[in-house]
Amino acid sequence: MKFCRFGAKGAEKPGLVDAQGRVRDLSAHVPDITVDALPRLVGIDPETLPLADAGVRYGVPLTGVGKIVAIGLNYRDHAIESNLPIPTEPVMFLKAVTSLSGPDDDVVLPEGATHGDWEVELGVVIGQTCRYVEQADALDHVAGYVLANDVSERFDQKQRGSQWSKGKSHDTFCPVGPWLVTADEIGDPQALDMRLDLNGERMQSGNTRTMIFGVAELIAYVSRYVTLLPGDIMITGTPPGVGEGKRPEPVFLAPGDVMSLAIDGLGTQRQRVVAFDRALLG
């Protein structure tokens, strides 16, 4: 099943996406989309739910996200284009939950930004507490999957000390959605095509089968160091084609640029890049 949250920012309603791609209103059944609410929604007939208006805005597809655990350099060619060693263990960092935004909301470059970049990624929504989980059992702890854009400011990430989170956690730097797709609908998370275009030009094209560390291995590994709770999101790395890796010269985001991205089965996103303005961030 595909779940979503729709409507104006701060006033999103819970929704379900039917077989025709139309948004159905779940407000009569649950107050919002959370991992805990999902079991109560299994088996609901979409045809019994009222339709939302066409063209409605999508928000982040679930609420109650406690943390975002990100994995860096998880595709060999991306590590190479970044001029960094190919990891022998997963590279972990945290991305602030305040970076979350809707899939088609504007991406606001931080004040003074010079090195904005993009990363299409598979996001994993945790469904059960993960603490020292065995790899063989790891996928049983997944509630579903989401499309994510791990937007980055590379100067803040790499030139201001060793804390990647500084370049990854700016407001609007984690568009997620449009849907939370339940694990049973996706099946094998290591067989998903992914892509990202900038201003209509293909920048990234890959498949999750080429991850260095697969989803199950990542969950097991991370759970040794960080307890993953229901509603947490783990984003799992990006294939090659980021702006920093472009040759002969890198390409960085500028106001007016448009990023369009997709992962098979998880929908599409489209973000306009805008210049820093405090009023845009509330």
Side-chain angles (χ1 to χ4, degrees):
M1 301 181 78
K2 297 182 178 74
F3 297 102
C4 66
R5 297 170 68 244
F6 66 94
K9 290 182 182 180
E12 292 90 348
K13 296 180 179 180
L16 178 154
V17 180
D18 67 20
Q20 290 74 44
R22 299 172 299 184
V23 176
R24 301 276 184 163
D25 192 338
L26 280 167
S27 298
H29 295 268
V30 290
D32 214 334
I33 298 297
T34 64
V35 166
D36 289 343
L38 296 184
R40 305 202 300 272
L41 302 175
V42 174
I44 288 180
D45 181 0
E47 297 297 323
T48 66
L49 303 172
L51 284 166
D53 293 337
V56 70
R57 170 189 171 271
Y58 283 108
V60 178
L62 76 158
T63 190
V65 179
K67 57 183 171 291
I68 305 166
V69 178
I71 306 299
L73 307 175
N74 196 27
Y75 291 74
R76 180 184 178 90
D77 289 345
H78 174 53
I80 292 171
E81 72 177 354
S82 301
N83 292 316
L84 292 169
I86 296 169
T88 56
E89 293 192 29
V91 175
M92 291 169 49
F93 61 94
L94 295 177
K95 196 170 172 92
V97 293
T98 48
S99 67
L100 287 168
S101 62
D104 301 322
D105 293 345
D106 291 345
V107 166
V108 182
L109 294 175
E111 188 172 24
T114 56
H115 290 69
D117 208 342
W118 55 84
E119 295 188 8
V120 59
E121 303 205 9
L122 173 66
V124 182
V125 178
I126 302 301
Q128 301 177 37
T129 297
C130 297
R131 186 181 293 115
Y132 291 95
V133 171
E134 296 295 330
Q135 183 173 335
D137 303 322
L139 295 185
D140 294 338
H141 293 69
V142 174
Y145 300 93
V146 292
L147 169 63
N149 189 355
D150 179 17
V151 185
S152 310
E153 213 297 332
R154 300 297 188 191
F155 188 87
D156 291 351
Q157 176 188 355
K158 297 184 176 181
Q159 304 301 319
R160 298 189 183 278
S162 60
Q163 301 301 315
W164 280 18
S165 295
K166 286 188 288 189
K168 297 281 192 172
S169 293
H170 293 289
D171 292 347
T172 75
F173 267 30
C174 194
V176 170
W179 315 316
L180 187 169
V181 184
T182 53
D184 61 308
E185 184 160 330
I186 291 300
D188 182 4
Q190 307 303 155
L192 304 175
D193 285 333
M194 52 204 311
R195 52 203 173 274
L196 183 146
D197 296 346
L198 180 69
N199 301 326
E201 180 181 353
R202 182 60 45 88
M203 293 292 171
Q204 291 186 277
S205 182
N207 188 286
T208 56
R209 68 173 173 270
T210 64
M211 287 181 182
I212 298 171
F213 309 102
V215 172
E217 185 175 2
L218 289 174
I219 293 171
Y221 182 91
V222 170
S223 74
R224 294 169 56 191
Y225 303 98
V226 177
T227 297
L228 297 170
L229 299 175
D232 287 350
I233 297 175
M234 182 175 68
I235 56 177
T236 56
T238 197
V242 300
E244 180 185 49
K246 293 299 181 186
R247 300 292 182 269
E249 296 293 334
V251 176
F252 294 117
L253 294 171
D257 285 344
V258 175
M259 295 178 283
S260 302
L261 54 151
I263 295 179
D264 285 355
L266 297 178
T268 62
Q269 298 184 357
R270 183 183 185 277
Q271 297 110 27
R272 182 172 61 103
V273 179
V274 300
F276 177 79
D277 183 339
R278 292 181 190 276
L280 296 175
L281 301 175

